Amino acid sequence: MIFSRKRAGDGRQARDERPAEVVDGRDAEAQAPARGPYDVSEAPDGVQRLDLGSLHIPAVADVEVRVQADPEGVIQQVVLVHGQSALQLGVFAAPRSEGIWDEVREEIRQSLFNDGAAAQEAQGEYGPELHARVRTPDGLTDLRFVGIDGPRWMVRGVYQGAAATDPSAAGPLRECLDGLVVDRGQEAKPVREPLPLRLPREVAEQAGPPVEA
């Protein structure tokens, strides 16, 4: 497991200022889904997971969890790596009444278009996803964006490497996504606000002082 720290001055992008949803009680119990990402209320027992606050990542053989955090232990980025493939994870607040992946997906498509990259929509195992090829300092990079709407949350995953162009190559990374657990909490939050992620206390204590970028 690799943990990197950003300088104290590095900040998260401005949050989308939207009306906060009102929490008026717990959702009625529903039958647990066959696979995740799971809400914490539906998560199966007996699975070893890394607790990062709002995200609990299952331990899967040969998958490395790379976490970038600020000096206070607040996580800015979570990336899972297996071989030549990677999966970046994000989790966001969503309204009780409807999912937000359709809207977010269209905004990602428009942002890519504005940057000169075309994105194609395809049907994946979680529903509609976006495939794009973007120019980076290292050359052209393929990306595959997936989104899963849950009860008052949305998980966004971005595949890179072999898994971006060949879903069958996702292997253990897909297993991590299928076993992911989201702990949304009961607080009212603005729609699309990133849910808080933190290093486990014992990890934060071992990480030591910040490393200059």
Side-chain angles (χ1 to χ4, degrees):
M1 189 179 301
I2 295 179
F3 297 95
S4 63
R5 287 174 172 261
K6 299 176 71 176
R7 288 178 292 181
D10 292 339
R12 182 178 288 176
Q13 289 184 346
R15 290 170 176 171
D16 191 359
E17 295 186 5
R18 290 172 175 256
E21 59 166 311
V22 177
V23 177
D24 54 6
R26 295 179 179 272
D27 292 329
E29 269 191 38
Q31 185 176 357
R35 67 174 186 176
Y38 301 97
D39 188 75
V40 68
S41 64
E42 305 170 325
D45 297 325
V47 178
Q48 181 182 358
R49 303 183 182 95
L50 175 64
D51 183 351
L52 298 181
S54 295
L55 281 182
H56 300 185
I57 300 174
V60 174
D62 300 324
V63 173
E64 180 182 27
V65 181
R66 298 181 181 179
V67 176
Q68 186 181 70
D70 67 16
E72 285 70 48
V74 177
I75 293 173
Q76 308 293 332
Q77 182 172 274
V78 178
V79 179
L80 311 184
V81 179
H82 176 264
Q84 300 302 310
S85 296
L87 173 62
Q88 182 179 348
L89 294 173
V91 61
F92 306 88
R96 177 184 299 274
S97 57
E98 60 184 357
I100 60 174
W101 174 233
D102 286 346
E103 183 179 353
V104 169
R105 190 172 69 256
E106 181 56 35
E107 291 181 359
I108 293 172
R109 185 210 304 274
Q110 187 61 49
S111 176
L112 290 168
F113 178 80
N114 292 341
D115 289 339
Q120 295 184 338
E121 188 165 301
Q123 195 68 18
E125 58 186 335
Y126 291 104
E129 54 187 41
L130 284 180
H131 299 181
R133 178 169 292 178
V134 300
R135 190 173 299 279
T136 70
D138 298 324
L140 292 175
T141 299
D142 290 301
L143 302 175
R144 178 162 63 95
F145 297 84
V146 300
I148 303 99
D149 288 308
R152 299 167 48 239
W153 50 259
M154 184 202 74
V155 168
R156 184 194 64 205
V158 185
Y159 283 103
Q160 301 178 51
T165 54
D166 180 9
S168 66
L173 295 178
R174 184 176 60 246
E175 186 178 344
C176 286
L177 188 57
D178 284 349
L180 199 67
V181 174
V182 178
D183 187 353
R184 161 66 173 76
Q186 294 300 314
E187 310 84 25
K189 294 182 180 295
V191 172
R192 292 205 239 172
E193 177 176 297
L195 298 182
L197 299 172
R198 294 194 64 86
L199 295 177
R201 177 172 297 180
E202 61 274 16
V203 174
E205 291 172 351
Q206 294 172 7
V211 176
E212 291 293 325

